Amino acid sequence: MLRPDLLAALTARRLLAIVRGNSPEAALDTVVTLARSGIDLIEVSLTGADALRVIERARAVLGPDALLGAGTVLTARDAGSAADAGAAFIVTPGITDAVAASRAMGLPVLAGALTPTEVAQALAEGATAVKLFPAGPGGGPQLLRALRGPFPQVPFVPVGGIDAAAARAYLAAGAVAVGVGSPLVGRAADGDPAGLRTRAEAFCSLAGEGL
C-alpha cells in the first residue's frame, strides 16, 4: 500500500468524510458508498464499533490506493493497529503520542490543535496538516483567520459540527479542507442509509464549486 500525499489529497478534494457508528456493517457500507459516490477521502473513527475491522474490510473492498484513514487515534499502539488494519493516514484529536509514532511509521498525520501553542507543537511533531478542533465551539471562522496570521502557510482542516454553510465559511477564511461527519453521513453509519447518496452528491457538487 502506497502512502498517500495527504496534503495534496486535502487540497484537491477539500472534503474529508468522517465515519463512526455503532454498527460495523453499516459503517462499512457507508465508507464504500461514500467512496463510490465521489467522496473518496475518508476517516474511520476508532470510537466506532469494531473500527479496525471496518478499516481492514474497507481496504479490501476499495483497494490499496484508497484514501482511507483512521481517526480519533490517541496512542502509539492505536496508530500501529490502524496501520496494520490498512489505514493510510492518521487523524488525532490533539497532540498525542500517536503523532510521533505515526510519523515514525511513515504515515501522514492530520493532528488536532486549537491554540497557537498547539499548532506550533503539531508542526514540530511533523504533522502534515492541522485539524482545527473543535472548530465550532472553538471560535469558528474568526479563530481560523486569527491563527492564519502567525501561521499563514499552515494547512488547516476545521472539524466539528460543520455543515455545508459552515464549510463555505471556513474555506473562505482560508481552510485547505473541512472535515464533515454527521451533516454528511447522518445516521447511515448506524444502519439508516436513507439519503446518504443524495447528501454525498450535494457535498460533491459543493466541493466542485469550491464550496
Side-chain angles (χ1 to χ4, degrees), residues 3-7 73 75-80 83 87-92 94-111 121-130:
R3 301 306 189 202
D5 185 336
L6 181 59
L7 181 55
V73 181
T75 68
R77 182 177 181 179
D78 287 341
F89 62 91
I90 298 297
V91 183
T92 72
I95 312 302
T96 72
D97 291 344
V99 178
S102 299
R103 295 302 301 130
M105 291 185 288
L107 286 170
V109 183
L110 177 59
Q121 186 177 355
L123 298 176
E125 293 279 355
T128 301
V130 172

Side-chain angles (χ1 to χ4, degrees), residues 190-207:
D190 285 324
D192 180 15
L196 177 59
R197 284 191 175 86
T198 299
R199 291 191 298 274
E201 290 172 1
F203 270 94
C204 280
S205 297
L206 289 170

Side-chain angles (χ1 to χ4, degrees), residues 143-176:
L143 174 62
L144 175 59
R145 289 190 180 92
L147 286 171
R148 291 191 70 240
F151 301 107
Q153 304 303 319
V154 172
F156 285 101
V157 182
V159 176
I162 295 178
D163 58 15
R168 286 192 181 93
Y170 279 110
L171 290 167
V176 68

Side-chain angles (χ1 to χ4, degrees), residues 169-195:
Y170 279 110
L171 290 167
V176 68
V178 292
V180 181
S182 57
L184 168 61
V185 174
R187 296 181 58 199
D190 285 324
D192 180 15

Side-chain angles (χ1 to χ4, degrees), residues 15 35 59 95 132 168 179:
L15 178 65
R59 173 62 64 195
I95 312 302
L132 187 62
R168 286 192 181 93

